[in-house]
């Protein structure tokens, strides 16, 4: 390997090019990266001047930046990933419009015969509380097996039609039937087929992505990708990851009403039994969760 004058992170250098499996056929692979915890500190000291020297260590400065939401120094770091993922997850992922993306094209190339089929423990009914998600309890074993089989059958049938429309389904030596354009043939394929893309993003926006997609309310499949990326980020910028965990992931943002509740409790004020400082029932439940308290109802 050629020597370089730019700052590198040995833990990440060793992982560049390695495929980390996700779901049944997916993966994440580091293509390249730029920057480190040191680059964040360097940018902050240029930006803030001598005022930041009150932080005794680089770790302390990074924690200060994260705590006070000074985000621009984190934008000095970037990472480029090669990701293989189901199309329905790609459609969620692309909602994060703060990255550079180049996706495998079904117009120019034939898509691979690979579909995401969830494991039985991840097949469950529609959620009643979280209207856009699924229940935490999976379907019964028999029902889950039936649904998984149906998904497999449908995926296989759709790909067979895709091949037929492309004219690639003829036996070896036989004349292929008339075909249509790849951009039209792909209309038969469901969104659980796999695609691939290169995704380049700066660290500030990557952390925002992870804060949302590692959350327990995120869909399991995209959370599986976010968890793997999180493990890589922890090796790449360990001080930043520690601060991110403390202030973003395991920390909590409190509303004005929630702060009033805490002040009243600390001052020993008797709280009203109903209408807790104007919080709704759902807000009270979420407030208790922030404090790590159990909800009994």
């Amino acid at each position: 390997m050629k020597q370089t004058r730019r700052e590198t992170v040995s833990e990440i250098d060793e992982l560049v090019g390695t495929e980390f499996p996700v779901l049944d056929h997916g993966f994440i692979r580091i293509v390249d990266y730029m920057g480190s915890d040191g680059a964040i500190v360097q940018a902050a000291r240029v930006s803030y001047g001598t005022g930041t020297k009150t932080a005794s260590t680089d770790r302390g400065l990074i924690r200060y930046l994260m705590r006070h939401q000074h985000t621009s120094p984190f934008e000095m770091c970037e990472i480029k990933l090669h990701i293989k993922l189901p199309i329905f997850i790609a459609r969620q992922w692309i909602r994060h419009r703060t990255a550079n993306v180049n996706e495998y094209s079904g117009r120019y190339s034939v898509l691979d015969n690979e579909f995401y089929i969830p494991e039985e423990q991840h097949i469950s009914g529609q959620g009643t509380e979280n209207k856009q998600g699924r229940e935490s309890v999976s379907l019964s074993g028999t029902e889950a097996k039936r649904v998984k089989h149906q998904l497999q059958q449908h995926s296989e049938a759709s790909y067979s039609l895709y091949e037929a429309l492309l004219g690639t389904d003829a036996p070896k030596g036989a004349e292929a039937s008339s075909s249509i354009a790849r951009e039209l043939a792909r209309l038969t394929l469901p969104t659980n087929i796999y695609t691939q893309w290169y995704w380049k993003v700066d660290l500030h926006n990557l952390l925002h992505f992870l804060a949302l997609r590692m959350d327990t309310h995120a869909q399991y499949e995209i959370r599986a990708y976010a968890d793997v990326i999180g493990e890589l980020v922890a090796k790449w910028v360990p001080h930043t990851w520690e601060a991110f965990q403390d202030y973003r992931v395991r920390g909590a943002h409190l509303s004005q009403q929630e702060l009033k509740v805490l002040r009243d409790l600390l001052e020993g004020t008797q709280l009203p039994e109903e209408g807790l400082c104007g919080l709704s029932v759902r807000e009270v439940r979420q407030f208790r969760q922030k404090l790590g308290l159990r909800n009994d109802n």
Side-chain angles (χ1 to χ4, degrees), residues 7-44:
E7 186 177 13
T8 60
V9 180
S10 58
E11 290 84 350
I12 291 299
D13 286 338
E14 295 172 1
L15 300 178
V16 171
T18 302
E19 289 186 5
F20 296 90
V22 189
L23 302 180
D24 48 2
H25 301 295
F27 64 73
I28 291 172
R29 181 173 68 87
I30 299 174
V31 179
D32 200 2
Y33 72 98
M34 180 182 76
S36 64
D37 280 330
I40 297 164
V41 170
Q42 180 189 54

Side-chain angles (χ1 to χ4, degrees), residues 98-297:
T98 48
N100 304 111
V101 184
N102 199 54
E103 186 176 359
Y104 184 94
S105 174
R107 296 185 67 197
Y108 302 134
S109 305
V110 176
L111 295 165
D112 292 331
N113 185 8
E114 290 182 321
F115 296 84
Y116 169 65
I117 307 296
E119 294 299 325
E120 293 168 20
Q121 67 266 29
H122 297 304
I123 299 176
S124 56
Q126 180 63 41
T128 52
E129 239 184 76
N130 180 8
K131 303 297 184 182
Q132 63 179 357
R134 53 194 169 199
E135 291 283 7
S136 57
V137 180
S138 58
L139 299 179
S140 66
T142 303
E143 184 67 7
K145 286 181 189 296
R146 182 184 66 81
V147 172
K148 183 176 180 179
H149 179 66
Q150 288 176 324
L151 290 172
Q152 288 172 327
Q153 280 189 316
H154 177 68
S155 299
E156 291 167 5
S158 68
Y159 199 83
S160 294
L161 177 56
Y162 176 62
E163 288 184 309
L165 292 173
L166 290 174
T168 60
D169 61 335
K172 190 174 181 180
E175 185 177 347
S177 58
S178 58
S179 61
I180 66 171
R182 288 186 289 271
E183 66 180 23
L184 292 175
R186 62 182 175 169
L187 300 181
T188 69
L189 298 171
T191 58
N192 65 327
I193 195 168
Y194 274 85
T195 186
Q196 298 184 40
W197 63 27
Y198 281 86
W199 192 66
K200 182 171 71 71
V201 65
D202 68 64
L203 181 57
H204 164 57
N205 286 296
L206 176 56
L207 293 177
H208 180 66
F209 169 86
L210 293 175
L212 294 174
R213 300 306 183 176
M214 289 174 60
D215 189 89
T216 54
H217 294 93
Q219 184 170 347
Y220 160 73
E221 285 80 10
I222 198 168
R223 198 165 70 242
Y225 283 90
D227 287 343
V228 172
I229 294 174
E231 292 174 5
L232 298 175
V233 173
K235 295 178 184 295
W236 174 29
V237 283
H239 291 332
T240 299
W241 184 253
E242 178 193 40
F244 172 66
Q245 290 291 311
D246 287 346
Y247 297 119
R248 293 283 301 278
V249 177
R250 299 193 180 101
H253 175 80
L254 299 180
S255 68
Q256 175 179 304
Q257 291 84 358
E258 290 169 335
L259 286 172
K260 184 178 187 308
V261 171
L262 286 180
R263 280 196 298 269
D264 289 345
L265 287 172
L266 290 173
E267 292 172 0
T269 304
Q270 183 67 36
L271 296 175
E273 295 182 3
E274 297 181 0
L276 190 63
C277 295
L279 297 174
S280 68
V281 173
R282 186 171 186 176
E283 286 175 323
V284 170
R285 187 186 307 119
Q286 291 172 344
F287 181 42
R288 293 181 62 86
Q289 289 173 347
K290 290 177 184 180
L291 299 178
L293 301 175
R294 195 176 65 185
N295 284 296
D296 296 324
N297 50 8

Side-chain angles (χ1 to χ4, degrees), residues 70-90:
H70 295 310
T71 59
S72 58
F74 298 102
E75 296 174 8
M76 297 298 111
C77 296
E78 290 189 342
I79 194 165
K80 179 163 65 175
L81 303 173
H82 177 195
I83 303 167
K84 183 177 180 182
L85 69 171
I87 285 179
F88 73 96
I89 293 302

